[in-house]
């Protein structure tokens, strides 16, 4: 069962409606707002349910929940896919969101410790 113990959070305005995107992956845009992340982005976990312009809280460090877009095993490094969901790192030079503390399948929410390192 996914749990969280967030040590450090930050917030910036949501650059889009993210009120149904809690525990998905986001990035800081060039306009200094929070928007959905994609594969290859340095991503953070959205820890709130903001509408456009509201404060979007994202996790910088700790144990947090992540919604998955594929099967992930405990211990695997988690990266972002193009749907802003966590997937197991395959290959190299992918920005890492964190390390899975439990396993899960697409659509489930698992616990991930973040940050782990910069790239897989």
């Amino acid at each position: 069962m996914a749990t969280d113990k967030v040590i450090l959070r930050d917030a910036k305005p949501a650059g889009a409606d993210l009120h149904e995107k809690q525990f998905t992956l986001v990035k800081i845009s060039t306009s200094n707002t929070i928007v959905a992340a994609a594969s290859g982005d340095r991503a953070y976990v959205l820890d709130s349910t903001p509408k456009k312009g509201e404060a979007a809280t994202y996790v910088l460090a700790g144990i947090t929940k992540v919604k998955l877009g594929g099967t992930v095993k405990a211990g695997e490094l988690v990266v972002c896919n193009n749907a802003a969901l966590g997937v197991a790192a395959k290959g190299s030079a992918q920005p890492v969101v964190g390390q899975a503390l439990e396993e899960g399948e697409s659509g489930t929410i698992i616990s991930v410790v973040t940050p782990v390192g910069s790239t897989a």
Side-chain angles (χ1 to χ4, degrees):
M1 182 173 160
T3 62
D4 61 8
K5 186 175 184 179
V6 176
I7 297 169
L8 185 60
R9 290 181 175 91
D10 196 14
K12 295 188 180 302
D17 184 0
L18 302 171
H19 82 275
E20 294 183 354
K21 302 294 185 179
Q22 187 174 30
F23 308 129
T24 64
L25 303 175
V26 294
K27 68 177 182 176
I28 302 169
S29 74
T30 56
S31 60
N32 205 29
T33 61
I34 299 299
V35 296
S39 180
D41 289 336
R42 173 63 183 114
Y44 305 91
V45 179
L46 181 65
D47 195 32
S48 61
T49 57
K51 293 183 179 177
K52 186 174 181 174
E54 295 178 345
T57 305
Y58 58 98
V59 177
L60 294 170
I63 298 171
T64 187
K65 298 173 185 177
V66 173
K67 187 169 184 180
L68 298 179
T71 301
V72 174
K73 296 178 183 173
E76 286 188 309
L77 296 179
V78 176
V79 298
C80 186
N81 71 7
N82 281 327
L85 302 173
V87 294
K90 305 289 185 214
S92 60
Q94 300 172 75
V96 172
V97 174
Q99 185 173 22
L101 297 177
E102 56 191 332
E103 65 182 50
E105 298 176 356
S106 184
T108 62
I109 295 173
I110 64 166
S111 293
V112 172
V113 63
T114 184
V116 171
S118 58
T119 57

